[in-house]
Amino acid sequence: MRVFIQFLILGVSGLILAGCDASTDQRAADNRGFVFCGPGQPTTFNPQLTDGGLTADTLSSQLYDRLLRLNPKTYQPEPMLAKSWEVSEDGKTYTFSLRRGVAFHRSVQFTPSRYLNADDVVFSFRRLIDNNHPYHPVSGGQYPWFDSMDFSGLLKDVKALDTYRVQFTLSRPDVSFLSTLATNFSVILSKEYADQLLTAGTPEKIDTYPVGTGPFALAEFQPREFIRLRRHWQYWQGPAPMEQVVFDVSTRGTGTLAKMLTGECDVLASPVASQLPVVVDDKRFHLSSQTGMNVAFISLNTRHPALSEVEVRQAINLAIDRNALLSSVYYGTGAPATSLLPPMSWAYDPNSQTEYNPKLAAALLAKAGYRQGFSVDLTVPMKPTAFNPSPRKTAELIQADLGAIGIRVNIIPEKTVNRVAIREGDDAHDMVLTGWVADNGDPDTFLRPLLTCNAKFTGWNMSNWCNRYFDQKLNEAIATEDTEARKALYIEAQTILNRRMPVVPLAHGIQHQVRDASLKGLTMTPFGADSFADVSRGR
């Protein structure tokens, strides 16, 4: 693997970089490719089947396009595969006009006979919402991100009006719908490819041998080693400067920081905060930072005897020293969370506050009848994330803080939180250290999937909390296009959360990315990696 990547960087491997010879000029050699190093192993190449990770956060924007994309400055939806759209007066019908001449990838498995059309859009979304669709159960039949927001309950129907017009019909008005279509999850697949695979009896290949319209296509995948993408020459926005991109997903050998320092990586995605001092003053590298649309929090199971008491939940919130957390875990690169919504959200409540007051916390415990404290389990996924660079260390700090007021915390390491068990009503968890990364700029994407009554049935509402007044505020907010009215409603919803405290917000992480200084056009967004379609090298 190391030899493979070194040859890619040097631009001398005839196997990896086809067409390389001694007469090629330096710029052409530089633009043959770059190596992207980051955490995670893909379990699928279809982001519809995931709730995050490498596939949704990074690969999606390379392999696929969406109807809409988010403007990098305003975070508002703008045209992508859809060149325009109309919305009915009742806010329930959206009609999109598609671009013409958009080509799908060619591969060993598939040679497209036509350009993208309305049938592809209908297929991509009907698979998600129609239990009787032949592709709905393929690859497990779970669509976690869409399930978290009750997408099948929102999208009533999608149909082709003609070759290049598609109509979506909603069950209720939802002004966040356009933002949903702009996320990295809402990708457009090829119906022609799907039909071919279904006839061959291999429908699952649509998710493991992907075909999209993005700037790059899958060329090779060696599990736990590397993913190689090749340039899509017929990309509708013009071919990318780079011939290929290699994702180093190996887990053996030196760590990613060491690979960056030795030149085996051109890009280091999501370096942990403790690694930043090593690269920040090195002129070979460029460090980019982006305030993240994310939050780390503790989910409190409101069915637990002690945690069912509001005073106990408020006591837990008051007992946690967030400044110590930011210093020890985030190394000063995060911000304390006073709400689930980060400060960069347009609906953030500037009056929300978080107090560290262990004395008041102990008094609230006594008031709730727990003067002697109690024991509780804290489930802790071990994987570092943008919102929590060291979950284990965070858990230990929480354990110490709560221990100081008499709450004895047992840390339960877990690779992943079992949302299926939670969805089916399993109350085995007491508290869960978790977090959320928004996939668009709308505040609804934070609050609805995590805390509404319907979210209890998706496994994302790990607090098992249901407040009809809170749900009412969110439903009113997505039914109006008046931004100021929406903001007022979201602030009311945040006030309810601050009083009832089903979750304890901890911190908002800052996203970092280190790249070789010669790379140009590599951008970051709060929602995941942007397209590599404009990445090149400059000397």
Side-chain angles (χ1 to χ4, degrees):
M1 178 59 182
R2 177 176 297 179
V3 172
F4 172 86
I5 292 177
Q6 286 175 334
F7 275 26
L8 174 61
I9 296 170
L10 293 173
V12 298
S13 171
L15 174 64
I16 304 304
L17 299 177
C20 178
D21 59 60
S23 64
T24 306
D25 63 39
Q26 183 63 51
R27 182 174 295 278
D30 282 342
N31 283 340
R32 285 203 174 97
F34 68 94
V35 179
F36 186 99
C37 292
Q41 290 281 340
T43 56
T44 177
F45 285 101
N46 183 355
Q48 295 176 329
L49 299 169
T50 72
D51 57 11
L54 180 65
T55 297
D57 296 342
T58 307
L59 293 172
S60 177
S61 294
Q62 320 316 324
L63 297 171
Y64 301 100
D65 292 316
R66 291 93 60 198
L67 289 177
L68 308 175
R69 61 186 163 201
L70 295 174
N71 182 285
K73 295 182 179 179
T74 66
Y75 307 139
Q76 295 301 307
E78 63 181 20
M80 197 175 194
L81 293 179
K83 61 182 181 180
S84 63
W85 63 88
E86 298 176 352
V87 185
S88 63
E89 290 187 8
D90 65 2
K92 294 182 180 181
T93 303
Y94 290 73
T95 304
F96 295 88
S97 296
L98 305 180
R99 296 185 189 277
R100 301 184 182 221
V102 176
F104 280 101
H105 301 152
R106 294 175 180 268
S107 68
V108 174
Q109 291 80 24
F110 176 64
T111 300
S113 66
R114 60 169 176 79
Y115 291 120
L116 174 141
N117 65 30
D119 290 338
D120 302 306
V121 178
V122 172
F123 166 79
S124 301
F125 288 96
R126 288 215 65 85
R127 175 184 182 179
L128 303 175
I129 66 172
D130 184 358
N131 291 338
N132 296 317
H133 192 280
Y135 266 87
H136 183 79
V138 172
S139 302
Q142 298 294 321
Y143 306 94
W145 186 84
F146 292 96
D147 290 343
S148 73
M149 55 177 295
D150 189 28
F151 188 75
S152 60
L154 172 65
L155 182 56
K156 186 177 179 180
D157 191 23
V158 54
K159 63 182 180 181
L161 298 182
D162 55 43
T163 305
Y164 292 103
R165 287 196 306 152
V166 184
Q167 187 175 88
F168 291 76
T169 303
L170 308 186
S171 61
R172 59 182 183 272
D174 187 339
V175 295
S176 68
F177 181 65
L178 293 177
S179 293
T180 296
L181 296 185
T183 68
N184 288 343
F185 298 95
S186 299
V187 296
I188 305 303
L189 311 175
S190 166
K191 183 180 185 299
E192 184 183 15
Y193 181 45
D195 289 344
Q196 175 182 303
L197 293 175
L198 197 63
T199 300
T202 57
E204 67 283 350
K205 284 188 175 181
I206 198 170
D207 304 315
T208 55
Y209 294 89
V211 168
T213 62
F216 293 91
L218 180 66
E220 186 177 4
F221 174 42
Q222 293 294 332
R224 295 176 294 281
E225 291 289 342
F226 66 88
I227 304 165
R228 185 163 66 92
L229 307 184
R230 58 176 172 79
R231 176 168 50 198
H232 178 26
W233 281 102
Q234 293 180 291
Y235 188 49
W236 60 278
Q237 290 187 297
M242 291 291 189
E243 287 185 16
Q244 61 184 327
V245 181
V246 172
F247 291 82
D248 179 357
V249 295
S250 63
T251 56
R252 50 187 180 77
T254 58
T256 53
L257 177 61
K259 290 178 180 179
M260 191 75 195
L261 296 174
T262 58
E264 295 177 66
C265 296
D266 289 296
V267 181
L268 175 55
S270 304
V272 298
S274 61
Q275 295 176 333
L276 300 182
V278 179
V279 298
V280 68
D281 294 323
D282 194 323
K283 293 183 179 180
R284 294 176 299 168
F285 309 119
H286 178 81
L287 173 64
S288 299
S289 300
Q290 167 74 60
T291 303
M293 286 286 277
N294 62 57
V295 62
F297 62 91
I298 308 171
S299 185
L300 309 177
N301 187 354
T302 55
R303 294 178 183 173
H304 183 279
L307 300 177
S308 66
E309 301 290 340
V310 173
E311 290 87 356
V312 172
R313 303 198 296 267
Q314 291 172 339
I316 291 173
N317 179 60
L318 291 166
I320 295 174
D321 186 350
R322 289 167 177 79
N323 288 331
L325 188 66
L326 292 172
S327 175
S328 300
V329 175
Y330 295 81
Y331 290 86
T333 64
T338 61
S339 165
L340 279 186
L341 295 183
M344 68 182 298
S345 170
W346 58 262
Y348 173 74
D349 182 1
N351 296 316
S352 61
Q353 297 180 351
T354 299
E355 182 183 3
Y356 171 53
N357 192 332
K359 185 176 181 179
L360 178 56
L364 285 172
L365 274 186
K367 181 180 177 182
Y370 291 93
R371 186 179 300 275
Q372 303 303 317
F374 59 93
S375 295
V376 66
D377 291 340
L378 175 62
T379 302
V380 183
M382 293 290 103
K383 182 181 177 182
T385 61
F387 52 77
N388 193 340
S390 181
R392 177 77 194 200
K393 193 169 187 178
T394 299
E396 291 171 349
L397 290 171
I398 292 170
Q399 183 184 51
D401 284 343
L402 296 187
I405 63 169
I407 300 178
R408 298 171 294 280
V409 175
N410 305 310
I411 297 176
I412 310 296
E414 188 166 301
K415 291 182 180 180
T416 57
V417 175
N418 189 343
R419 292 190 178 89
V420 174
I422 294 171
R423 184 176 68 236
E424 294 175 354
D426 186 346
D427 286 338
H429 72 289
D430 299 339
M431 305 193 306
V432 179
L433 179 61
T434 185
W436 187 256
V437 179
D439 301 291
N440 59 63
D442 199 280
D444 206 72
T445 194
F446 271 98
L447 303 176
R448 186 174 300 276
L450 297 174
L451 288 162
T452 56
C453 298
N454 283 341
K456 290 202 304 180
F457 305 107
T458 68
W460 289 92
N461 184 343
M462 290 177 282
S463 297
N464 285 307
W465 185 70
C466 177
N467 184 296
R468 298 295 181 185
Y469 190 52
F470 173 81
D471 283 17
Q472 178 185 337
K473 296 302 175 185
L474 298 191
N475 291 336
E476 291 176 4
I478 60 170
T480 176
E481 295 184 2
D482 186 328
T483 301
E484 289 304 313
R486 291 191 75 200
K487 182 174 182 178
L489 289 164
Y490 285 126
I491 287 178
E492 287 187 59
Q494 291 172 79
T495 299
I496 295 171
L497 292 182
N498 291 339
R499 290 173 179 169
R500 308 303 297 178
M501 204 58 65
V503 297
V504 176
L506 298 174
H508 305 290
I510 295 177
Q511 298 169 283
H512 302 283
Q513 186 182 84
V514 181
R515 62 171 170 82
D516 187 281
S518 67
L519 281 181
K520 310 298 180 184
L522 192 68
T523 58
M524 293 180 65
T525 77
F527 317 109
D530 206 352
S531 168
F532 298 157
D534 297 321
V535 176
S536 63
R537 286 193 193 267
R539 292 288 175 178

